[in-house]
Each structure stands twice: as C-alpha cells, then as structure tokens.
Amino acid sequence: MNLSPAADDPSFPLPEGVRLGESHGTPALLVETPAATAELLLDGAHLISWIPAGQADLLWLSPDSAFGEREAVRGGIPLIGPWFGPGRDLAMEVKHGWLRNIRWEPAGAQREGEDVVLTLRTPEDVTALSATARFRLGAELSVDLTITAGPRPLELEAALHTYLAVGDVREIEISGLEGADFLDNTRGLTPDVMPEQPWRLTGSTDRVVASTAAVTVLDEKNARRLVSTPRGTAKTVVWNPWDELARGMADIPDTAWPEFVCIEPAVAKDGFVALAPGESHSIGVSYRIER
C-alpha cells in the first residue's frame, strides 16, 4: 500500500476515519475505522480494497496493474458502462465503456453507525450521461451505481466487474446459478444451461448467466464463503481467463490467474435497460464474508 496526503480536499467535511490521500500515486478516499479499511480511487470511482475487521481483503488487485487517469485498473471493482464488452452490436473499440476511465468527483461522505458511506459523481463536463456511485463500507460492503441518460435515449449496459480474491480458483465452488440459461463467451456467445448442482470451474470461463440470484463462493482454501447479493440487475457474469489467456494479458502475472474469480452483477446483452432522456437506472450489490 502506497499512501500519502493529497493536495486537494473535497468541498465538504470528511468524517472521522476517512481522509483524502493517494493510493498507487493517484487520488483516493482512504477509510480506516474499527469496522473496516478501504481504498477508493477517484479515477473510475474504483474500489480496490475492502478489508472488514478480522478478515482478509475481499478483493484481488493485480500487482502488475496500471494506475492513473485513463488507465483501466486490473482488480477491485471496476465500474463498467455505458456498454459492456464491445457493446450489444460488438462495434465499440473501447472495451467496457468509459466510466472506469474518467476521474470522478467526491460528492459526499458520512458515518452511519459503524459504517462509512462515500458517494462519487461524474464531472459536470460529462454531458452524455451522469452517474453516481455509492459505497457503504463496514462489516459488509454495498456498492450502488446509478446512471442517468443525458439529452439522448440510452440503451444502457453496465456491470460491477468484481474481482473476488480466492485461494485457488480451481478449488472453489459456486452456488446460486444452478439451472440458469447462459451465453458462453468462450464459444462465441453460444446458448447453454448451467449445471443443476454447485459449479466448479475447469478452464477459461466467460459466462453471461440469466440470473439475479445471490451467489455464494465456497473458498475452502481460505476457509471462508463470499456471498454476493445483487439488485437492479438482469445478468450475472462469471469470468476467469485461466492460464493460456492470462499469459497474453500484460497486467496479470502469468501465475496469478488462480487468485481470483470475477462475479459481476450486470445489465448486459439482451438484459440492457432502455432509458429515455433524463431517466435513471441503478444496479447494486452487497457482499459479506462468512467463516
């Protein structure tokens, strides 16, 4: 962790346990309370760490990630939108949209009991749409992303591209998606159906699952269960590149791919949301760690 004071303060007071500083050389809101510690980058409104008291970090962050303006951080919880992947028509050159590539502005910070609630918003000079991201950080974690269409209609795709830290992705068991339809992006979005029992990954995985159910990751190697409960979503994306694809990714060490699994609440593909000018949609997710 590389933390130092930042030059600017937000235009509102920060509660006890919250300060504006730097992480990895970029501005960040830093949380340290009896309930949890966390690091929230202003670039991309990107949460890169949440450690509830007595636990290890929920999130995986690549040691080879780039940081700074216009960079897509590898790990944590990237905010994806206003399109997913190459977009519904597969024509977008910038993968996963631009929300994660702009610097957001602090818009609020308060203590609510033992929790810290932080709110960031897109800058005023972003006119195609506006967005707010709200993070509740305590014994549990909640993230909510609200996107409002600008002067034109918006066919919104969005996701919370969470990298969950696991002991070994080859040994975890995922439950909550049993029997759901999915599109397999490792086979050109071929339709298929999830197994009827808890699922173990055996190779490169990129599934867009038609499910809004809670998902549990049983991580026996780390002696914990990670529970993800989505809201306002249509799909759940499960992703891990496995060994061969990871070797072609400059920001993931060749041997690091077993350390994470992405479980992503999303509105994507045929689950997009059509917004008229000025209309909004929110997607969110809550996490808890169970022993």
Side-chain angles (χ1 to χ4, degrees):
M1 185 183 300
N2 175 21
L3 307 181
S4 59
D8 300 318
D9 290 326
S11 59
F12 51 85
L14 295 176
E16 183 180 0
V18 181
R19 66 184 178 92
L20 183 64
E22 287 190 352
S23 177
H24 300 275
T26 65
L29 288 166
L30 308 171
V31 175
E32 186 172 358
T33 70
T37 63
E39 298 179 48
L40 176 61
L41 305 181
L42 301 192
D43 290 325
H46 197 136
L47 187 69
I48 60 170
S49 177
W50 171 65
I51 307 174
Q55 306 279 4
D57 207 322
L58 174 79
L59 304 174
W60 180 83
L61 180 66
S62 174
D64 290 349
S65 179
F67 294 90
E69 286 190 273
R70 306 295 176 185
E71 297 288 356
V73 173
R74 177 70 69 180
I77 308 181
L79 303 184
I80 302 303
W83 60 83
F84 182 87
R88 294 173 52 241
D89 58 2
L90 308 180
M92 297 298 188
E93 293 185 6
V94 178
K95 189 175 182 181
H96 289 325
W98 46 263
L99 290 181
R100 61 180 180 163
N101 298 118
I102 62 172
R103 181 161 291 177
W104 294 52
E105 298 176 348
Q110 57 266 349
R111 290 288 291 268
E112 295 184 3
E114 294 187 347
D115 293 350
V116 167
V117 180
L118 303 177
T119 304
L120 277 67
R121 65 187 174 203
T122 50
E124 291 185 1
D125 60 0
V126 174
T127 58
L129 57 80
S130 60
T132 60
R134 186 173 184 267
F135 302 82
R136 177 179 288 273
L137 305 147
E140 296 189 4
L141 168 66
S142 289
V143 182
D144 290 279
L145 173 64
T146 301
I147 296 175
T148 302
R152 298 180 180 179
L154 174 64
E155 293 187 349
L156 174 67
E157 290 184 300
L160 305 172
H161 186 12
T162 307
Y163 288 73
L164 298 173
V166 297
D168 190 327
V169 73
R170 294 163 293 191
E171 299 179 15
I172 64 171
E173 185 175 84
I174 298 173
S175 59
L177 302 175
E178 292 82 3
D181 294 333
F182 73 92
L183 301 176
D184 189 345
N185 204 27
T186 68
R187 296 184 289 147
L189 295 175
T190 299
D192 207 332
V193 180
M194 295 290 291
E196 294 291 344
Q197 62 276 350
W199 173 41
R200 291 180 178 269
L201 278 62
T202 57
S204 179
T205 301
D206 191 356
R207 298 187 179 186
V208 183
V209 185
S211 175
T212 60
V215 176
T216 298
V217 177
L218 175 60
D219 181 9
E220 292 184 340
K221 190 168 184 178
N222 283 338
R224 66 182 192 173
R225 290 157 45 99
L226 311 178
V227 182
S228 167
T229 304
R231 48 190 171 269
T233 63
K235 307 288 184 180
T236 298
V237 180
V238 183
W239 179 76
N240 182 280
W242 228 251
D243 53 353
E244 184 175 351
L245 288 180
R247 284 194 292 271
M249 304 174 75
D251 55 1
I252 297 180
D254 289 352
T255 59
W257 60 269
E259 299 172 2
F260 68 88
V261 63
C262 289
I263 307 288
E264 310 174 37
V267 286
K269 303 302 180 186
D270 61 341
F272 76 96
V273 177
L275 297 178
E279 285 187 335
S280 301
H281 183 76
S282 297
I283 65 171
V285 65
S286 296
Y287 296 102
R288 68 178 185 273
I289 300 174
E290 299 177 347
R291 290 288 184 180

